[in-house]
């Protein structure tokens, strides 16, 4: 496995030529955009109570607390701008090389950068959805309603509970996005994973699936990941290595 190493030059050449690339991104691609790491010590998720989906459904006080946390972080999310990492995926799409862009992020920055085929595995925090009729409004509108005295806003159409269109703890992954992502990974030639620790399942099983289906796997992340040992190129290993067969 260590005999046939892929050099950075070879990796660049593969990216240049490849026409079925699938991107897979996590929080690391957005940190330079100023999206705070909510899970870090002192981060909002470390100091605030985690609300499970079932609590949100059954308890108004939990809904109020959940929305309070969302409103607190929204100004930072809202002002974040896409960075060079996001723009690199836009370039790939414009050159017709990007089959799909799978993201674990909820910040909407890939779309704001200009990508159109984004599969959001954990939903988006830029929109709010009614849990009953699935009507959507913008997060800006929801925050305005909360600030105007409605701490757990309800749907104008049916009175159902409004919730950010993200996947909460205890809530299932969006089936259509997951299905499309699975198919994209089975058909791609290169899976380019950027800024993900590849530790959160089932999302992290997708790069593994791409590799098993015959694609090359490149991993760019600040820290080692569980998939570095099967990657053709990994930024966390001391030297770029290849296990192409
Ligand atoms: Zn509704």
């Amino acid at each position: 496995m260590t005999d046939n190493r892929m050099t950075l030059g070879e990796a660049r050449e593969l990216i240049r030529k490849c026409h079925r690339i699938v991107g897979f991104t996590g929080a690391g691609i957005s940190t330079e955009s100023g999206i705070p790491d909510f899970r870090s010590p002192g981060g909002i998720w470390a100091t605030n109570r985690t609300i499970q989906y079932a609590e949100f459904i059954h308890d108004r006080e939990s809904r109020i607390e959940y929305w309070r946390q969302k409103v607190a972080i929204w100004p930072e999310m809202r002002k974040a701008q896409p960075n060079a990492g996001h723009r690199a995926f836009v370039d790939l799409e414009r050159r017709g090389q990007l089959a799909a862009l799978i993201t674990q992020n909820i910040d909407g920055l890939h779309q704001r950068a200009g990508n159109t085929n984004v599969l959001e595995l954990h939903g988006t925090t830029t929109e709010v959805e009614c849990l009953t009729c699935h009507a959507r409004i913008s997060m800006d509108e929801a925050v305005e309603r909360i600030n105007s005295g409605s701490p757990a806003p309800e749907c104008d159409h049916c009175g159902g509970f409004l919730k950010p269109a993200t996947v909460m703890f205890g809530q299932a992954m969006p089936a259509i996005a997951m299905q499309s992502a699975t198919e994209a990974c089975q058909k791609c030639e290169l899976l380019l994973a950027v800024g993900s620790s590849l530790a959160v399942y089932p999302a992290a099983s997708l790069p593994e699936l791409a590799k098993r289906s015959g694609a090359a796997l490149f991993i760019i992340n600040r820290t080692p990941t569980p998939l570095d040992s099967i990657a053709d190129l990994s930024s966390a290993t001391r030297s770029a290595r290849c296990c192409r067969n």
Side-chain angles (χ1 to χ4, degrees):
M1 169 164 122
T2 53
D3 293 334
N4 193 15
R5 290 167 195 245
M6 188 180 282
T7 64
L8 278 175
E10 287 169 332
R12 280 199 202 97
E13 186 61 12
L14 180 59
I15 292 175
R16 197 181 64 76
K17 288 190 312 195
C18 189
H19 282 266
R20 293 205 65 81
I21 298 174
V22 167
F24 182 94
T25 64
I29 199 170
S30 290
T31 48
E32 279 181 32
S33 293
I35 300 283
D37 183 357
F38 302 121
R39 292 175 196 269
S40 66
I44 201 153
W45 285 3
T47 52
N48 280 329
R49 185 165 78 84
T50 300
I51 310 288
Q52 300 282 335
Y53 184 64
E55 295 174 85
F56 186 92
I57 299 295
H58 296 297
D59 175 31
R60 180 174 156 82
E61 287 309 312
S62 293
R63 285 197 289 285
I64 291 172
E65 170 59 15
Y66 185 78
W67 272 112
R68 189 192 64 74
Q69 295 175 15
K70 282 286 172 181
V71 169
I73 62 174
W74 179 236
E76 292 228 58
M77 297 287 266
R78 195 178 189 284
K79 76 176 184 206
Q81 295 296 324
N83 63 50
H86 299 101
R87 287 191 291 274
F89 282 106
V90 178
D91 290 342
L92 286 176
E93 181 172 316
R94 290 188 178 153
R95 290 200 295 263
Q97 295 181 273
L98 193 67
L101 179 52
I102 303 165
T103 188
Q104 297 169 287
N105 298 339
I106 58 170
D107 53 40
L109 289 180
H110 283 305
Q111 291 92 331
R112 278 174 57 195
N115 279 109
T116 57
N117 189 8
V118 183
L119 301 170
E120 295 174 309
L121 298 181
H122 297 157
T124 177
T125 197
T126 63
E127 293 188 333
V128 170
E129 184 170 306
C130 169
L131 292 178
T132 305
C133 76
H134 305 292
R136 286 196 174 196
I137 60 171
S138 69
M139 180 61 87
D140 277 337
E141 189 182 336
V143 169
E144 207 177 298
R145 285 168 64 168
I146 291 161
N147 290 336
S148 307
S150 178
E154 293 174 354
C155 177
D156 281 341
H157 306 285
C158 74
F161 303 144
L162 290 178
K163 188 185 88 54
T166 54
V167 177
M168 278 177 82
F169 290 102
Q171 194 179 8
M173 305 275 282
I176 294 171
M178 196 62 192
Q179 178 66 30
S180 301
T182 300
E183 285 167 14
C185 287
Q186 285 167 332
K187 290 189 230 160
C188 70
E189 293 168 5
L190 169 62
L191 190 299
L192 198 51
V194 180
S196 172
S197 62
L198 302 178
V200 179
Y201 278 79
S205 64
L206 291 165
E208 209 170 4
L209 172 65
K211 179 67 189 166
R212 273 208 318 273
S213 304
L217 173 60
F218 294 178
I219 298 173
I220 301 167
N221 195 50
R222 200 164 48 89
T223 54
T225 80
L227 298 188
D228 290 336
S229 61
I230 64 162
D232 298 86
L233 187 85
S234 162
S235 61
T237 48
R238 199 170 287 258
S239 61
R241 72 177 174 192
C242 176
C243 51
R244 268 189 308 182
N245 43 28

